[in-house]
Amino acid sequence: MQTAADAGDAATLLAAVPAGRRVALVDPRFVGHLHALRLGLTDPRFAAATVPGALTAQPEARGALLRALRRTTAAVGAGAPVVAPDTDPAPDDRTVPGRIAVALEAEGTAVKRPELGSLTATVPTDAGARATAESARDEVDDEAVRLRSAVKAHDGFFTTFAISPYSRYIARWCARRGLTPNQVTTASLITALVAAGAAATGTRGGYVAAGILLLVSFVLDCTDGQLARYSLQYSTMGAWLDATFDRAKEYAYYAGLAIGAVRGGDDVWVLALGAMVLQACRHVVDFSFNEANHDAVANTSPTAALSDKLDSVGWTVWARRMIVLPIGERWAMIAVLTALTTPRIVFYALLIGCALAACYTTAGRLLRSLTRRASRTDRAAQALADLADSGPLAQGVAAVAPGLRGAFTAPAVALLGTLVMIGGALFLPYGSLLTVAAAAVYVVLSGLAVARPLKGALDWLVPPFFRAAEYVTILVLAARSDAPHAVPAAFGLISAVAYHHYDTVYRIRGGTGAPPQWLVRTIGGHEGRTALVAVLAAVLTHAAGFTTALTALAVAVALVVLVESIRFWVSSSAPAVHDEGELA
């Protein structure tokens, strides 16, 4: 920390700091809470940030900061108050940091201004104002505010009332001992994997231990995010780990339950895979709808207005959050039922609960889409095209086929293709070449569905239809096969493909776009993989080779996707994605 005599001296001192370091400019008259300064000066997610009386810049914004400081200094003089004589700035912009923040924004550099709530941050100009500011500061418990702000603003009922009241204190304990959110996230994954191993024993004691460990894993899962918010230890790696480990934990636990059930004489692999498919399809409905509408123009509807009105009534907020069966409620249900009942009952409850939740959320999104007059942007259309995960076969059809016109044409064509593919897998003789013909029809219809930009009112349904077609087809063909262990192999394949689809979502959310096209082409796209599995089922009818082929395909997809995903998320271009509003 160094003290500058005036604005000119500050520019000289800042220029001498090594280029790769963050710098901060704080008015010496600042009065406020320490956590207000933390929020303004230490959050790593923003290139530049400010609170009244303080400004920070990451290395990428250092140049803009120095230019703004020098321009302001040249305009008013190195030792003069940094307020232009022909302007009347807001009180917070009369200080050097405040004026520089305004200058940075005028140049085009985004400056984050965090919400301080009850925290104090000000620069008093006289003794009376200083006394008032100090009194306001002393009346608010800085640490209590910090603990409250560590909890996610919009969480489920179970998490809010059964976990967060004490997990925030675990987060503080971790922070005071130097533990990082990534370490807690890893501990949560390890605990969940141990829980899956306990469930795989197939004994009552193992099931009880599994249920307890799953709840402990969820407590740690809440703690890692709270630790990140408490200590402002956000990182790209942490975002990636948090985004992917939840799915890995849940699917590993499903597999553990299925293995345990088989040891007890009850094969529930089809139910386990069905629960995973349903959960993944639920998520892609949410992701696709949000991407289609978050930057839409004139994005209002009577349904949305009714939803906002319901949210103004306290009990309806919690009821609606519980109906969607978010991760807290879902894991609590799984843990309790595992300890007290059987894996079959666990999966029945999951399938029923998730199906009801899917119907509720999808119906609401359909009503909003049909009643709003939104104009979707090119960015939204590109996001939907990326989420569709079309491979070379569908892209080839789209390139030669004329774009089908009509407000609801794309989802209608995608739905028709999905019904043809799933219907063929379900009702045609297993191993018949007619199933391959159904796959060929699906490829053509998939290409037609994406031949035009996806800007229609219901075009966000196209990616969910494609996910359902691929996942359910693999599930049905594996279940109908006489090949031993075909369903567990299909479980592995769908897990690898689902990881690719979740990875696509989080890349798009971070503003970096979808995975590279070479990756999509290499793993075939949704239509290529679906057609390949249909061909394998026809060629390897009633043979153990079908299981081997599914396993090999799962390993190949997993290797390609994981290597590229890890390369991207540890690179400097990866975004820091944090699900502050994610319930599921």
Side-chain angles (χ1 to χ4, degrees):
M1 181 183 296
Q2 299 188 59
T3 302
D6 51 39
D9 189 26
T12 301
L13 292 173
L14 289 175
V17 178
R21 296 177 61 182
R22 174 203 288 268
V23 295
L25 194 63
V26 182
D27 193 298
R29 299 167 296 172
F30 175 85
V31 174
H33 288 99
L34 177 60
H35 193 53
L37 282 179
R38 286 194 195 96
L39 291 172
L41 304 182
T42 65
D43 194 323
R45 294 174 295 175
F46 311 109
T50 186
V51 295
L55 171 72
T56 186
Q58 297 270 38
E60 60 266 32
R62 284 273 303 276
L65 170 64
L66 283 173
R67 289 193 299 272
L69 182 54
R70 286 166 177 160
R71 283 198 309 271
T72 305
T73 302
V76 301
V82 191
V83 178
D86 58 345
T87 62
D88 183 22
D92 291 341
D93 295 336
R94 294 180 183 272
T95 65
V96 172
R99 284 299 308 276
I100 301 304
V102 172
L104 281 172
E105 291 174 320
E107 184 179 310
T109 300
V111 180
K112 175 66 176 179
R113 300 173 185 268
E115 292 291 335
L116 299 181
S118 59
L119 296 175
T120 296
T122 186
V123 178
T125 56
D126 55 48
R130 172 170 288 275
T132 300
E134 290 175 346
S135 176
R137 178 195 63 192
D138 295 341
E139 288 176 358
V140 175
D141 185 344
D142 177 84
E143 181 62 18
V145 173
R146 190 181 181 190
L147 274 172
R148 285 197 302 271
S149 63
V151 178
K152 189 185 291 186
H154 303 288
D155 234 329
F157 181 88
F158 178 78
T159 305
T160 299
F161 294 104
I163 305 297
S164 292
Y166 57 88
S167 61
R168 69 184 76 179
Y169 295 101
I170 300 175
R172 181 172 67 180
W173 182 90
C174 293
R176 291 177 175 177
R177 282 151 184 81
L179 298 176
T180 66
N182 291 355
Q183 291 170 332
V184 178
T185 302
T186 303
S188 176
L189 173 65
I190 293 172
T191 305
L193 294 179
V194 174
T201 63
T203 64
R204 177 52 51 196
Y207 290 148
V208 172
I212 295 172
L213 288 170
L214 188 64
L215 289 177
V216 172
S217 174
F218 182 65
V219 172
L220 293 173
D221 184 53
C222 296
T223 300
D224 63 359
Q226 291 167 357
L227 174 59
R229 286 182 285 273
Y230 179 85
S231 57
L232 298 177
Q233 295 185 74
Y234 300 109
S235 69
T236 297
M237 178 63 74
W240 175 60
L241 293 178
D242 192 53
T244 56
F245 277 12
D246 279 352
R247 303 287 83 79
K249 289 181 288 189
E250 190 165 5
Y251 298 160
Y253 192 81
Y254 291 176
L257 279 176
I259 293 171
V262 170
R263 288 187 170 181
D266 186 14
D267 190 343
V268 296
W269 271 108
V270 171
L271 296 178
L273 184 50
M276 186 175 77
V277 167
L278 180 55
Q279 189 61 27
C281 289
R282 276 187 63 201
H283 280 149
V284 78
V285 167
D286 296 338
F287 296 147
S288 187
F289 177 83
N290 291 335
E291 289 302 324
N293 290 285
H294 90 279
D295 61 350
V297 180
N299 195 9
T300 59
S301 75
T303 306
L306 175 61
S307 178
D308 294 339
K309 186 175 181 180
L310 288 174
D311 280 343
S312 66
V313 182
W315 68 269
T316 64
V317 174
W318 298 116
R320 295 172 70 204
R321 290 185 188 178
M322 293 174 69
I323 288 173
V324 301
L325 202 63
I327 189 169
E329 276 75 359
R330 193 166 67 251
W331 281 29
M333 180 184 73
I334 294 171
V336 171
L337 291 179
T338 297
L340 300 180
T341 64
T342 65
R344 181 172 289 274
I345 293 177
V346 173
F347 287 124
Y348 281 151
L350 266 174
L351 288 167
I352 294 171
C354 289
L356 292 175
C359 290
Y360 171 78
T361 55
T362 304
R365 283 157 172 66
L366 286 171
L367 286 174
R368 291 190 184 205
S369 299
L370 293 172
T371 57
R372 71 183 5 142
R373 296 294 181 265
S375 298
R376 295 193 168 84
T377 63
D378 292 337
R379 180 218 171 269
Q382 183 59 52
L384 291 179
D386 292 335
L387 289 173
D389 191 33
S390 299
L393 297 178
Q395 290 176 359
V397 172
V400 300
L404 298 175
R405 298 184 179 275
F408 308 117
T409 301
V413 172
L415 175 60
L416 177 60
T418 298
L419 294 176
V420 167
M421 188 67 256
I422 295 177
L426 271 173
F427 301 115
L428 292 174
Y430 181 80
S432 168
L433 291 178
L434 291 176
T435 306
V436 178
V441 173
Y442 174 67
V443 168
V444 173
L445 293 176
S446 297
L448 293 176
V450 297
R452 290 177 60 85
L454 298 175
K455 291 188 175 182
L458 296 179
D459 284 1
W460 57 270
L461 286 169
V462 171
F465 285 148
F466 289 163
R467 294 299 82 74
E470 180 179 6
Y471 296 168
V472 175
T473 296
I474 295 173
L475 166 61
V476 170
L477 291 178
R480 294 186 66 190
S481 169
D482 289 336
H485 310 301
V487 178
F491 190 100
L493 174 57
I494 293 178
S495 297
V497 174
Y499 177 87
H500 164 61
H501 291 143
Y502 282 110
D503 186 53
T504 301
V505 166
Y506 285 105
R507 293 196 197 205
I508 293 173
R509 282 186 171 184
T512 57
Q517 272 298 302
W518 71 259
L519 174 67
V520 177
R521 290 194 296 268
T522 299
I523 61 176
H526 71 92
E527 80 291 348
R529 292 186 299 269
T530 305
L532 177 59
V533 172
V535 171
L536 292 174
V539 173
L540 303 173
T541 307
H542 306 305
F546 185 52
T547 299
T548 303
L550 288 179
T551 303
L553 182 58
V555 171
V557 171
L559 283 176
V560 174
V561 168
L562 283 173
V563 168
E564 162 57 21
S565 179
I566 292 171
R567 182 211 62 79
F568 171 77
W569 285 102
V570 301
S571 70
S572 59
S573 61
V577 182
H578 298 275
D579 290 328
E580 294 302 318
E582 187 80 47
L583 291 177

